[in-house]
Amino acid sequence: QVQLVESGGGLVQPGGSLRLSCAASGSGFSIGVMGWYRQAPGKERDVVATITRGGSTNYADSVKGRFTLSRDNAKNTVYLEMNSLKPEDTAVYYCHAPRVLLSNTLRYLEVWGQGTLVTVSS
């Protein structure tokens, strides 16, 4: 099985910074696109940013210029650097891999992390 394990959430003041990490664990798999979604209370889960295996990124308009997504393919890990945080960034952040190739079966899985809470408040 493949799991996405997130870390780095917490409480931060407006204007502050946090760095989220998401590491894929398991064996016999290959991951293409990875990304982060977030879900605020009472709202739908929305995409924050995505990154291809080659490093091409896309960001939601609401985070452009403030968030930076990067990845380390050797470690199967992505990092979301969040700066100039605002109260409206408060949400549970989920790591996502839409197409994980399993080497033994040559089948694809969609995998979600368990979520990490980011609270931006003074």
Side-chain angles (χ1 to χ4, degrees), residues 37-97:
Y37 283 68
R38 67 185 181 186
Q39 188 167 19
K43 295 189 176 181
E44 295 184 351
R45 189 176 298 188
D46 292 323
V47 63
V48 175
T50 62
I51 186 167
T52 67
R53 191 167 181 82
S56 296
T57 53
N58 278 292
Y59 298 93
D61 288 343
S62 58
V63 306
K64 281 181 181 176
R66 300 187 298 122
F67 290 13
T68 302
L69 182 59
S70 60
R71 70 188 286 169
D72 183 335
N73 290 328
K75 296 181 179 179
N76 285 313
T77 300
V78 293
Y79 306 96
L80 184 66
E81 189 74 37
M82 305 185 294
N83 299 312
S84 302
L85 283 161
K86 305 174 181 180
E88 50 263 44
D89 294 317
T90 295
V92 177
Y93 284 70
Y94 296 91
C95 186
H96 180 237

